[in-house]
Amino acid sequence: MNTNWLKDLARLYLPVYQYESNTMKIAYAGYSSIKKNYFVRFILDTNNQHTFLGRRWFWRIPDLIKSNNIDMVISEISPIVLNHFQKCNGYIVPGWVMMRINIDRPMSEICHSRESHYSGIKRKIRKFNLTYEILTDKESYNNFVNNFYLPYISSRYGEEALIEDLNIYMNLTPAPVLLAIKEGAVIVGMAVMRKSGESLDLMRLGLLDGKEEYRLHGVIGAIYYFSILEGQKMGCRYMDVSGTRPFLTDGLTKFKIGLGAEFAPNFSQGKEYLWLGVNEHSIVTEEFMRRNPVMHFNKDFNLARSGT
């Protein structure tokens, strides 16, 4: 049963939280603790105080900037009120921006693009003797979910972890396969991937027991590198590398850009949206946005970069 319409209705009347550091005051309006934790961490330092301001109807959210002297407001918004927020000062941003790598070109061209991470990735592949194999059995998939994906997501992202039920992937046609990274004889990393049309979808990944040691050994980079090789064998034009946060200075976004990933143009309007309201009189907000450009929807609802 599709319950998205209930969420869209709920986002018309939102709980509001105010956070304040020594330099900046922001407000978050919405129900998602994962999104709230992310934006508070990304925008403010760790030392901040917070207050629950009660609930507000969506049309009152922009008023918080003036009434509470807020530097920036982040609000979950329902698709049915997009037109209202397009008229407000700020940006409409996707909760996640989809990215993909053009792999229909020689590997040498992919690896030598500007700001490429691949020289470091290949160096660690050699240093730690990283190889890969493809697995398709159900037992290996269960092993991936329980011993790779869940511990990695939990340890890596903590309160910001979005943990999903991956069993739904096994019912897809064609079925996904597992790319398993081995360090010597031990499988230390895995990823679920599946061919879809002209793209190879790199869907989810994980490290053995979520250990930071394997990330430092370059296993995450090796997953992307070897997945590109497999995608090229399959004749794929693109490798979809899933979503990332819309800020270009976000760590995951920067990492994927260094892999040659670009923002996919076909963002679905059925996804989740946020309004990033900015106080045009706030010097600290102006400086933050200058240092942290964001991908947002312009008036034609195409993805664009702020400040351009």
Side-chain angles (χ1 to χ4, degrees):
M1 180 180 178
N2 191 330
T3 59
N4 286 337
W5 67 275
L6 290 174
K7 294 180 181 179
D8 291 339
L9 285 177
R11 291 190 181 105
L12 301 179
Y13 189 55
L14 297 162
V16 180
Y17 305 85
Q18 179 176 296
Y19 293 82
E20 186 172 2
S21 69
N22 292 331
T23 58
M24 199 171 190
K25 186 192 296 185
I26 70 171
Y28 185 91
Y31 296 95
S32 172
S33 60
I34 293 175
K35 291 187 181 72
K36 180 178 64 177
N37 291 335
Y38 168 78
F39 281 102
V40 171
R41 176 187 61 80
F42 186 82
I43 297 173
L44 300 180
D45 56 42
T46 54
N47 298 317
N48 60 77
Q49 299 177 336
H50 69 276
T51 306
F52 177 57
L53 299 181
R55 293 177 179 268
R56 301 285 195 282
W57 286 103
F58 72 90
W59 63 80
R60 293 186 57 200
I61 299 297
D63 296 337
L64 288 167
I65 291 176
K66 184 175 181 179
S67 63
N68 289 53
N69 194 27
I70 299 291
D71 294 298
M72 187 179 297
V73 175
I74 306 95
S75 178
E76 300 169 20
I77 58 176
S78 168
I80 60 181
V81 296
L82 281 175
N83 288 338
H84 172 80
F85 282 95
Q86 280 184 313
K87 300 172 185 176
C88 299
N89 192 44
Y91 306 93
I92 293 177
V93 302
W96 294 92
V97 192
M98 305 309 293
M99 300 191 77
R100 67 184 185 183
I101 303 171
N102 176 5
I103 61 174
D104 187 22
R105 48 184 173 149
M107 195 66 183
S108 58
E109 183 179 333
I110 297 173
C111 291
H112 291 92
S113 59
R114 186 170 60 91
E115 300 178 354
S116 172
H117 296 323
Y118 287 106
S119 60
I121 289 172
K122 290 192 289 184
R123 184 173 62 252
K124 289 187 176 181
I125 287 174
R126 294 190 297 268
K127 179 178 180 179
F128 295 102
N129 189 26
L130 302 180
T131 58
Y132 79 98
E133 61 184 7
I134 301 297
L135 305 174
T136 58
D137 59 288
K138 177 67 173 177
E139 184 179 349
S140 293
Y141 191 82
N142 291 336
N143 180 36
F144 163 72
V145 172
N146 295 320
N147 298 314
F148 290 76
Y149 169 73
L150 290 176
Y152 172 70
I153 292 297
S154 299
S155 63
R156 183 69 175 157
Y157 296 102
E159 292 182 340
E160 298 171 25
L162 178 60
I163 297 175
E164 303 167 283
D165 180 4
L166 301 191
N167 290 320
I168 58 173
Y169 293 153
M170 294 304 293
N171 298 322
L172 297 174
T173 303
V177 299
L178 287 169
L179 181 138
I181 303 295
K182 300 173 73 174
E183 184 174 318
V186 180
I187 295 177
V188 294
M190 283 190 179
V192 182
M193 61 186 193
R194 172 178 176 267
K195 185 177 181 182
S196 176
E198 63 179 3
S199 296
L200 176 67
D201 296 342
L202 187 61
M203 303 166 83
R204 297 294 180 268
L205 55 79
L207 299 178
L208 179 60
D209 298 326
K211 289 185 177 178
E212 177 72 2
E213 170 189 357
Y214 299 127
R215 189 186 70 83
L216 296 176
H217 287 189
V219 175
I220 297 296
I223 286 175
Y224 285 95
Y225 181 82
F226 290 134
S227 294
I228 291 175
L229 295 181
E230 280 299 301
Q232 290 179 329
K233 289 180 184 178
M234 297 177 188
C236 295
R237 185 179 180 187
Y238 298 104
M239 186 171 83
D240 289 336
V241 292
S242 298
T244 187
R245 297 298 187 183
F247 284 105
L248 296 181
T249 50
D250 174 87
L252 182 58
T253 307
K254 291 169 65 177
F255 176 72
K256 291 183 177 180
I257 290 173
L259 296 173
E262 299 176 336
F263 296 104
N266 57 340
F267 182 88
S268 170
Q269 294 194 22
K271 303 287 184 175
E272 295 183 344
Y273 305 96
L274 296 155
W275 176 65
L276 190 62
V278 296
N279 184 338
E280 59 185 349
H281 302 296
S282 168
I283 296 176
V284 67
T285 301
E286 180 182 0
E287 177 62 17
F288 176 86
M289 293 305 302
R290 186 189 66 79
R291 290 186 287 106
N292 300 278
V294 66
M295 299 301 295
H296 67 100
F297 294 109
N298 61 21
K299 62 180 181 179
D300 298 318
F301 223 78
N302 294 318
L303 273 178
R305 172 178 169 160
S306 65
T308 58

